[in-house]
């Protein structure tokens, strides 16, 4: 027989991308035709955000970036995004560009070919470090931008549990997952590294270690729930010490239901979600949690903020300077202080406020 797995994308604008992974055997990427034009896969080994300090340490915009601070853009040929063709491999992530705006999203039909099979069982996907070799003394900004990211995807017609996937691959990858939301409108007349203003603020973040926690993209949209829907592509990064290796998907990671968030946590944890809101209405959320297994310094319970070029930004800071979207510290006590950082590019009146809380903060505990 024939299986059809139909997925509805989020709304997107002209020339924006959706991240996919095929849930069926033998599906050709060229079949992603109606509503899409360009299709790519991500060659992680080609990515390198070049960086070298000049005399005054100033910022070098454009392409390639020659000095200043990393901007989250690949500066070196051969480049990271490669044209995709042929069968979509199980567990590999792909992106497809919208040929027209879709204000209500677009239905994508993954239909099995002659085999009539959906993906089932165990699949291994090769992952690799990026092209940057770290040297002693490099800044944290370089470390966070060249983060060994790989684009993979749920290979099954069911959802998978991100925590189960991480637990079975924790010797290879960090526990942070990034999901693209397609929130930012595309400015087609821009030039340089951000040609169409693809904005790293459009990544939602989820951390699968300890008591899992998610934070929405700084440009809005849903908070990741920890369940990765069928057909969904996503980014993970390799541990810096990891050599060339692979990650494994298997049926133990699959879950019934929870298959609707294409892109619930328990309510008894001590956690705060904060928003920085600019005068223009831009929102930059972060999450701060407290649990006994976490350290007050940077560890795998924390998730770095994606580098966003020269845009407004808001983050919490570790004692060694990491900029975090999700920051989890050891168990709560009233004397803890959490440093916050801001990048503000417009004058005006801006605001930091609590969005929502869990645990002790819902029971009258004040936050200053």
């Amino acid at each position: 027989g024939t299986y059809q797995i139909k997925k509805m994308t989020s709304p997107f604008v002209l020339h924006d991308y959706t991240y996919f992974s095929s849930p069926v055997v033998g599906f050709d990427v060229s079949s992603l035709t109606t509503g899409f034009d360009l299709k790519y896969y991500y060659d992680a080994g080609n990515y390198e955000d070049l960086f070298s300090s000049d005399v005054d340490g100033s910022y070098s915009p454009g392409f390639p970036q020659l000095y200043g601070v990393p901007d989250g853009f690949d500066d070196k040929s051969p480049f990271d995004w490669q044209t995709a063709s042929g069968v979509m491999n199980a567990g590999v992530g792909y992106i497809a560009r919208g040929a027209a705006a879709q204000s209500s999203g677009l239905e994508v039909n993954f239909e099995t070919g002659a085999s009539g099979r959906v993906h089932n069982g165990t699949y291994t996907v090769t992952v690799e470090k990026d092209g940057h070799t770290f040297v002693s003394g490099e800044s944290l900004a370089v470390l966070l931008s060249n983060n060994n990211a790989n684009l993979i995807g749920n290979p099954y017609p069911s959802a998978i549990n991100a925590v189960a996937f991480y637990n079975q691959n924790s010797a290879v990858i960090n526990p942070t997952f990034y999901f693209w939301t397609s929130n930012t409108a595309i400015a087609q007349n821009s030039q340089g590294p951000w040609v169409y203003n693809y904005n790293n603020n459009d990544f939602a973040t989820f951390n699968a270690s300890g008591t899992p926690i998610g934070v929405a993209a700084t440009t809005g949209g849903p908070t990741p729930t920890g369940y990765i829907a069928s057909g969904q592509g996503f980014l993970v990064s390799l541990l810096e010490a990891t050599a060339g290796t692979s990650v494994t998907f298997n049926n133990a990671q699959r879950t019934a239901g929870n298959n609707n968030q294409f892109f619930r946590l328990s309510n008894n944890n001590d956690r705060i979600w904060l928003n920085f809101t600019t005068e223009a209405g831009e929102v930059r959320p972060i999450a701060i949690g407290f649990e006994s297994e976490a350290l007050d310094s940077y560890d795998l319970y924390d998730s770095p903020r994606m580098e966003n070029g020269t845009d407004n930004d808001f983050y919490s800071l570790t004692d060694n300077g990491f900029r975090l979207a999700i920051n989890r510290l050891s168990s709560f006590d009233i004397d803890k202080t959490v440093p916050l950082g801001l990048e503000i590019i417009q004058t005006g009146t801006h605001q930091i406020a609590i969005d929502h809380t869990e645990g002790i903060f819902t029971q009258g505990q004040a936050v200053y």
Side-chain angles (χ1 to χ4, degrees):
T2 298
Y3 284 95
Q4 292 180 331
I5 312 296
K6 295 184 178 182
K7 302 301 299 184
M8 180 63 72
T9 73
S10 301
F12 57 84
V13 298
L14 174 68
H15 291 149
D16 209 341
Y17 284 89
T18 298
Y19 285 41
F20 287 112
S21 181
S22 175
V24 302
V25 175
F27 187 83
D28 197 292
V29 71
S30 64
S31 298
L32 286 173
T33 52
T34 304
F36 298 102
D37 48 19
L38 304 179
K39 296 100 177 175
Y40 296 97
Y41 68 93
Y42 187 72
D43 190 332
N46 286 347
Y47 178 87
E48 185 171 3
D49 189 358
L50 294 178
F51 172 84
S52 59
S53 297
D54 70 339
V55 175
D56 61 4
S58 60
Y59 181 72
S60 172
F63 171 78
Q65 179 193 18
L66 301 178
Y67 54 84
V69 296
D71 60 5
F73 187 83
D74 185 19
D75 293 312
K76 189 175 181 180
S77 177
F79 298 115
D80 45 6
W81 292 108
Q82 299 289 319
T83 300
S85 62
V87 171
M88 295 176 69
N89 294 319
V92 175
Y94 298 81
I95 65 174
R97 191 178 76 165
Q102 301 290 337
S103 59
S104 299
L106 184 68
E107 185 176 82
V108 178
N109 182 13
F110 291 97
E111 184 172 344
T112 57
S115 69
R117 292 165 49 214
V118 296
H119 289 140
N120 180 45
T122 300
Y123 298 95
T124 57
V125 179
T126 299
V127 290
E128 56 185 338
K129 296 173 67 173
D130 60 37
H132 185 77
T133 301
F134 291 102
V135 298
S136 177
E138 282 190 319
S139 70
L140 291 174
V142 177
L143 177 63
L144 292 177
S145 183
N146 295 283
N147 65 357
N148 303 311
N150 282 253
L151 178 59
I152 57 178
N154 177 1
Y156 303 113
S158 61
I160 61 172
N161 186 310
V163 175
F165 176 80
Y166 168 67
N167 287 341
Q168 294 185 27
N169 292 282
S170 59
V172 178
I173 61 172
N174 284 294
T176 298
F177 297 67
Y178 295 103
F179 302 93
W180 181 251
T181 62
S182 305
N183 289 331
T184 303
I186 307 301
Q188 298 179 44
N189 58 351
S190 298
Q191 301 297 318
W194 308 92
V195 171
Y196 290 105
N197 278 354
Y198 299 115
N199 189 340
N200 276 1
N201 288 320
D202 283 359
F203 281 104
T205 308
F206 180 80
N207 190 299
S209 63
T211 303
I213 186 171
V215 65
T218 64
T219 50
T223 299
T225 62
Y227 296 101
I228 302 172
S230 172
Q232 177 71 69
F234 57 95
L235 287 169
V236 295
S237 60
L238 271 65
L239 298 169
E240 177 56 30
T242 303
T245 185
S246 61
V247 294
T248 299
F249 293 92
N250 58 45
N251 285 345
Q253 300 159 10
R254 300 172 69 175
T255 180
N258 303 296
N259 205 13
N260 294 324
Q261 187 180 61
F262 193 72
F263 44 161
R264 261 131 202 143
L265 302 175
S266 58
N267 199 31
N268 58 354
N269 302 289
D270 300 329
R271 305 195 283 202
I272 310 167
W273 282 259
L274 295 172
N275 289 337
F276 166 64
T277 305
T278 71
E279 187 170 84
E282 297 179 4
V283 179
R284 302 288 184 264
I286 62 173
I288 297 169
F290 303 88
E291 52 191 275
S292 59
E293 295 85 358
L295 301 176
D296 288 346
S297 57
Y298 178 75
D299 61 11
L300 293 181
Y301 287 81
D302 304 317
S303 295
R305 172 74 86 201
M306 272 276 194
E307 172 58 50
N308 70 350
T310 56
D311 204 351
N312 293 299
D313 209 356
F314 178 48
Y315 40 81
S316 59
L317 285 161
T318 64
D319 54 2
N320 55 356
F322 277 95
R323 299 179 176 187
L324 302 178
I326 298 172
N327 185 6
R328 283 183 288 176
L329 302 99
S330 59
S331 299
F332 176 79
D333 70 65
I334 61 173
D335 295 320
K336 282 191 181 293
T337 300
V338 183
L340 305 177
L342 289 165
E343 292 183 10
I344 302 175
I345 63 173
Q346 298 108 348
T347 59
T349 301
H350 313 292
Q351 181 182 32
I352 297 174
I354 294 174
D355 182 77
H356 65 284
T357 62
E358 291 180 356
I360 194 172
F361 304 110
T362 66
Q363 303 165 17
Q365 172 61 51
V367 179
Y368 302 93

